[in-house]
Amino acid sequence: MTMHAKHEAPASGQSTIDIPVDGMTCASCVGRVEKAISAVPGVSGAEVNLATGKARVTLAGGSAEAVAEAIRGAGYEPGATDITLAISGMTCASCVGRVEKALRAVPGVLKAEVNLATERATVRAADSNITPALVAAVTVAGYEAKPLDEGRSDDGDAAAARRQAEQSALGRSVVVAALATLPLMILEMGPHLSEAFHHWLYARIDAFVLKLIAFGLTTIVLFGPGLRFFLKGWPALMRAAPDMNALVMLGAGAAYAYSVVATFAPDWLPAGTDYTYFETGAVIVTLILLGRWFEARAKGRTSEAIKRLVQLQARSARVLRDGVESEIAIEHVRVGDLVLVRPGEKIPVDGEVVEGASYVDEAMVTGEPAPAHKSVGASVIGGTINRNGALRFRAEKVGADTLLAQILRMVEQAQGAKLPIQALVDRVTNWFVPAVIAVALLTFAAWLVFGPSPALTYALVNAVAVLIVACPCAMGLATPTSIMVGTGRAAELGILFRQGAALQGLSEVSTIAFDKTGTLTKGRPEVTRFIAAEGFAEDEALRLAASAESASEHPSAEAIVAEAKRRGLALAPAADFAAEPGLGISARVEGRNILVGSARLMAERGIAASLFAEQAAASAWNGESPLYVAVDGSIAGLVAVADQVKPGTAAAIDALKALGLRIVMVTGDNRATAEAIAARLGIDAVEAEVLPTDKAAIVKRLQVGSTKVAFVGDGINDAPALAQADIGIAMGAGTDIAIESADIVLISGDLRHVPEAIGLSKATMANIRQNLGWAFGYNVLLIPVAAGALYPLWGVLMSPVFASFAMAFSSVSVLANALRLRRFAAGQDITATKPGAAPATAFGRMG
């Protein structure tokens, strides 16, 4: 529900917001909501209006999020609207924390999450008109924000163009900085590496002139390509909110300033300390710019899955309106339009075929490699490719309602989400940069007081090394980049994570419960075999049975009729049709008396069915329903009908069991049939004869003892169970209600994607832990080294140049590790997996 909040001029230090409240029906509801809101700390007033359905809340330090939770706790639902902003100017995890803090401080904001990798902020607010205030808050915090419109592909194009422009600008800056730094390094470091070069250089150029040249080259680097660090770092420092730019500015700036004094006013320094460190400042800036350029390239690659999805969208469509064929922009296609697609063209929108037949390549959307046959009545998906025939279809979903647009939206939402594991990172990064500055100051003071001569030089060099080696970027990128690549790869496999947190939750699941009908099975009965009695031809007996059943609407009757039609048998009209509930049917076909039904029906009519007793028992054991066919009082045949297990179900169950998961089947079938299917598939436990309303209770019972449970279903009656489960997995061919209740959607409905999803979830979480281990370990180990912790033992100090190199490539290392997830491959032969074997073939592998 979109809500509209109204802000009034509050008393000083207070703010007033209007929050829509759903579910209120009487004055008692009003009282309960007012009492709940008033109990929230920091709320100075609450007035609830039943007629408008809104609560006017005056906040005096309280948060809108706490108010919303209080309303929810009282049994009602606070209205909310989601707003997405593109944020530019962020460079590290500290930036993320500051933007989030600024957004959450805006009155009416219920929740705000910022993602460094996607450069987006997702805000849930008690005000659909709050966007200008959000943009202003981000601007005051020192960054830029732009609202993004849902469903607009040009937003993605603009973001991609902006990233490309940023990458190009960084590339140019790296070239300019390198061209100035290289001769500087030769002039400064060459004499230390070669005595011959030292004598040759100083014999031709005066030492002071060399200092002037170094000053000039360094000035070009710092205030040319490196100016960005000062323009962003200084304001951040003045706001008492330093970020990585501030660290670089302080480190490079300190080396530069000290060198300037040593060059032009050496008398200001203690005797013997007038050394210059121009090359340190220049190299710091050059290497960090180089690292950022690599980082920008790698970040671009993390979003390639989104780019590929966007590229699937057709730009135009050929439509037939009023008998006139014309080509129009995709955004102008309307529901109900007749769309024409030639061989080799993209299908522009979702619809239903009304004329023609063809094979359509849906691999890029569903992950299924084999082209799907499409004819009249079949559904087609926008973004797929028509292979060899001409199709005419009626547009049913356009714009943001198409499956491709929904997939894009789900993937972007999942990529922008924060996992629970991110909470620790957020807590650390809020104080990380100020802590680094404090450590640098302590390092400077300690070396100045206790360091060897020249103490000032040692103090400066080591303090600069501390400032430069610290890397909040790696911590900020550790989780979101893995999420981006992991969810993007999942989308390519036909697996959609609707909630980012499901990526972590799925890796923790120990029990998976499956709905049977439509999930494990096809969801419709089919004839599995037909046995004719002696004296009857199989096709003739089947034709008579199907003719009699053609007047019935029972699923088993439909299966018998479908089998007869599949064999090309011509059905005859049925007369005197009668259905006997729970037993079967009777009818006259071509003057002959036909009975189709259970053994009990045959017994009641005095017809001996013992001829097929053994075959009927075998069918029942296999979970099939045996039905007898009698013609003119004699047994003519036995037909076995069953809701058949889907292709791939057995392989999926085997793969899940190889992963050590407990498998439970939930069904309304009788226990004998359910246990027969479970035994054939190797399912661990069966919940049979379950009413649709009881499925959620079954899931809740399975969760006892903190067991993490996933539920896989497809129907409307599965929605409560999907919502109750820790992770709900819906089949893409299922109902919209089931999909909306799920955390994960399998686009093609192939159950083999379930172990693939679990495998990718585990691989992504392992990747995140590796990234966090590197990001934290890097800083924990190298900051003390930079401060000089190894000097008392081994006389080892870290050069600021090495510190800048390490810092520049620490975030690149995190990105490179995340990109390994792009190589995650689904097991090609899932059925080959054996318990105890390496799980690669069970759920995929990562190179």
Side-chain angles (χ1 to χ4, degrees):
M1 170 180 170
T2 300
M3 30 162 315
H4 302 278
K6 179 182 177 184
H7 295 266
E8 294 187 342
S12 177
Q14 296 184 343
S15 60
T16 301
I17 57 173
D18 287 355
I19 303 180
V21 181
D22 293 338
M24 296 189 300
T25 58
C26 62
S28 297
C29 300
V30 171
R32 279 193 289 272
V33 174
E34 282 187 348
K35 183 178 179 181
I37 295 174
S38 299
V40 175
V43 171
S44 60
E47 296 178 4
V48 179
N49 189 309
L50 180 62
T52 61
K54 291 182 180 180
R56 176 161 294 177
V57 183
T58 303
L59 299 173
S63 72
E65 185 176 3
V67 173
E69 285 302 316
I71 294 172
R72 200 171 283 115
Y76 305 90
E77 189 61 32
T81 186
D82 290 327
I83 300 164
T84 303
L85 302 173
I87 309 292
S88 56
M90 297 189 299
T91 56
C92 64
S94 300
C95 302
V96 171
R98 275 189 285 279
V99 175
E100 285 184 346
K101 184 177 180 181
L103 290 171
R104 289 168 182 163
V106 176
V109 169
L110 306 177
K111 184 180 181 182
E113 290 185 348
V114 178
N115 189 300
L116 179 60
T118 61
E119 297 177 332
R120 290 190 177 188
T122 303
V123 181
R124 172 153 287 194
D127 187 348
S128 60
N129 301 313
I130 201 174
T131 304
L134 297 175
V135 172
V138 173
T139 303
V140 170
Y143 306 89
E144 295 180 11
K146 177 188 174 186
L148 294 178
D149 293 334
E150 187 179 281
R152 280 185 53 184
S153 63
D154 55 337
D155 279 331
D157 294 341
R162 179 173 54 79
R163 289 195 189 99
Q164 185 58 47
E166 179 186 351
Q167 185 177 322
S168 299
L170 277 170
R172 290 191 297 270
S173 295
V174 168
V175 171
V176 172
L179 289 175
T181 301
L182 186 59
L184 178 62
M185 287 293 293
I186 294 172
L187 293 174
E188 291 285 340
M189 302 304 296
H192 297 287
L193 299 175
S194 170
E195 188 174 348
F197 180 72
H198 173 88
H199 291 301
W200 179 87
L201 183 65
Y202 283 92
R204 287 162 177 77
I205 305 176
D206 183 71
F208 182 72
V209 174
L210 286 174
K211 288 184 178 181
L212 290 179
I213 293 172
F215 165 73
L217 291 172
T218 305
T219 302
I220 291 172
V221 174
L222 262 65
F223 300 102
L227 185 61
R228 68 190 68 210
F229 298 113
F230 292 85
L231 292 177
K232 293 180 179 178
W234 182 253
L237 202 59
M238 292 300 97
R239 288 192 300 271
D243 59 3
M244 197 202 78
N245 293 297
L247 294 180
V248 176
M249 178 196 73
L250 289 173
Y256 178 78
Y258 184 91
S259 301
V260 168
V261 173
T263 300
F264 298 104
D267 294 341
W268 293 4
L269 300 173
T273 63
D274 57 341
Y275 301 103
T276 59
Y277 298 95
F278 285 119
E279 80 285 357
T280 299
V283 171
I284 286 171
V285 168
T286 302
L287 286 177
I288 291 173
L289 286 173
L290 181 62
R292 283 201 180 178
W293 180 70
F294 278 122
E295 182 182 321
R297 289 190 62 191
K299 282 170 71 175
R301 290 168 64 194
T302 62
S303 59
E304 279 185 2
I306 286 285
K307 292 177 189 174
R308 281 193 285 270
L309 287 172
V310 170
Q311 288 167 359
L312 292 178
Q313 295 176 317
R315 298 296 180 182
S316 62
R318 192 176 295 103
V319 301
L320 192 66
R321 291 179 181 169
D322 301 324
V324 178
E325 182 181 321
S326 59
E327 188 164 334
I328 61 175
I330 190 72
E331 55 266 25
H332 296 150
V333 178
R334 301 192 297 260
V335 173
D337 276 341
L338 283 178
V339 183
L340 312 176
V341 185
R342 296 170 183 164
E345 292 183 338
K346 284 183 181 178
I347 292 173
V349 295
D350 298 357
E352 181 179 321
V353 177
V354 297
E355 185 180 318
S358 181
Y359 281 90
V360 176
D361 184 355
E362 298 180 335
M364 63 289 295
V365 174
T366 66
E368 296 301 311
H373 182 260
K374 303 292 182 181
S375 57
V376 175
S379 296
V380 290
I381 302 170
T384 57
I385 298 174
N386 181 32
R387 284 299 181 201
N388 57 358
L391 293 175
R392 178 178 295 185
F393 69 91
R394 179 171 288 105
E396 293 183 336
K397 292 183 178 179
V398 301
D401 295 327
T402 64
L403 177 62
L404 184 57
Q406 291 177 52
I407 290 172
L408 272 167
R409 200 154 53 243
M410 287 183 195
V411 174
E412 287 179 341
Q413 287 171 354
Q415 289 186 340
K418 283 195 174 183
L419 304 192
I421 199 172
Q422 180 74 14
L424 172 64
V425 181
D426 291 343
R427 285 198 296 271
V428 171
T429 54
N430 284 336
W431 54 259
F432 181 79
V433 174
V436 168
I437 293 174
V439 170
L441 291 173
L442 286 172
T443 299
F444 184 86
W447 279 94
L448 193 61
V449 175
F450 303 109
S453 179
L456 179 61
T457 299
Y458 278 105
L460 174 71
V461 169
N462 290 304
V464 168
V466 169
L467 290 169
I468 298 304
V469 81
C471 187
C473 298
M475 291 188 291
L477 292 169
T479 301
T481 50
S482 296
I483 295 172
M484 283 184 70
V485 182
T487 53
R489 180 62 184 137
E492 292 174 345
L493 293 172
I495 304 163
L496 295 181
F497 285 86
R498 297 186 68 243
Q499 309 291 336
L503 199 61
Q504 180 172 342
L506 187 60
S507 69
E508 300 167 352
V509 163
S510 58
T511 298
I512 297 190
F514 287 90
D515 168 59
K516 181 187 81 72
T517 305
T519 303
L520 294 173
T521 65
K522 294 179 179 179
R524 61 183 185 279
E526 294 178 353
V527 171
T528 56
R529 59 178 174 159
F530 190 96
I531 307 171
E534 189 175 347
F536 288 90
E538 183 177 315
D539 280 358
E540 178 62 12
L542 176 61
R543 185 184 72 84
L544 292 173
S547 297
E549 291 278 26
S550 62
S552 173
E553 295 181 352
H554 193 278
S556 294
E558 293 175 354
I560 293 171
V561 171
E563 177 63 16
K565 289 181 177 179
R566 189 186 68 81
R567 298 189 185 191
L569 305 178
L571 304 187
D576 301 330
F577 174 84
E580 300 189 32
L583 297 176
I585 62 99
S586 62
R588 288 183 60 79
V589 177
E590 297 176 343
R592 309 178 76 175
N593 293 319
I594 310 297
L595 283 177
V596 183
S598 64
R600 182 179 163 193
L601 176 63
M602 299 297 134
E604 287 184 1
R605 298 298 177 93
I607 300 171
S610 57
L611 174 65
F612 292 118
E614 188 176 332
Q615 291 92 331
S619 292
W621 173 254
N622 287 328
E624 300 168 341
S625 299
L627 301 172
Y628 296 88
V629 179
V631 178
D632 291 333
S634 299
I635 284 292
L638 176 76
V639 57
V641 177
D643 180 8
Q644 295 209 78
V645 171
K646 286 180 179 179
T649 294
I653 298 298
D654 288 345
L656 291 169
K657 293 190 73 175
L659 292 172
L661 299 171
R662 180 170 179 260
I663 314 299
V664 179
M665 184 174 75
V666 181
T667 178
D669 286 355
N670 67 74
R671 180 159 292 278
T673 300
E675 289 185 346
I677 294 173
R680 196 160 79 246
L681 292 174
I683 289 173
D684 299 308
V686 176
E687 296 286 347
E689 301 172 7
V690 176
L691 295 174
T693 53
D694 293 338
K695 289 182 180 179
I698 295 291
V699 172
K700 191 170 185 178
R701 193 173 75 232
L702 292 171
Q703 291 171 318
V704 171
S706 300
T707 301
K708 297 289 185 181
V709 177
F711 184 87
V712 186
D714 73 322
I716 291 175
N717 58 22
D718 293 327
L722 288 166
Q724 172 64 41
D726 297 283
I727 300 294
I729 304 175
M731 315 302 283
T735 63
D736 289 343
I737 293 175
I739 290 172
E740 284 301 315
S741 302
D743 304 294
I744 301 168
V745 179
L746 308 181
I747 301 175
S748 69
D750 189 336
L751 283 181
R752 283 172 290 197
H753 289 317
V754 175
E756 287 177 7
I758 294 173
L760 185 54
S761 171
K762 289 179 179 292
T764 302
M765 293 311 300
N767 193 267
I768 288 173
R769 284 189 285 270
Q770 291 162 4
N771 283 345
L772 289 175
W774 164 257
F776 280 97
Y778 165 90
N779 285 290
V780 168
L781 290 174
L782 291 191
I783 289 176
V785 173
L790 300 181
Y791 186 81
L793 296 175
W794 298 292
V796 175
L797 291 175
M798 181 184 291
S799 162
V801 171
F802 175 82
S804 61
F805 178 85
M807 194 274 272
F809 288 94
S810 61
S811 55
V812 176
S813 301
V814 165
L815 286 161
N817 188 50
L819 287 170
R820 291 173 57 240
L821 287 168
R822 294 168 61 201
R823 300 199 298 272
F824 177 90
Q828 298 302 309
D829 184 12
I830 280 180
T831 58
T833 302
K834 298 176 182 177
T841 55
F843 60 85
R845 57 187 175 274
M846 188 175 70

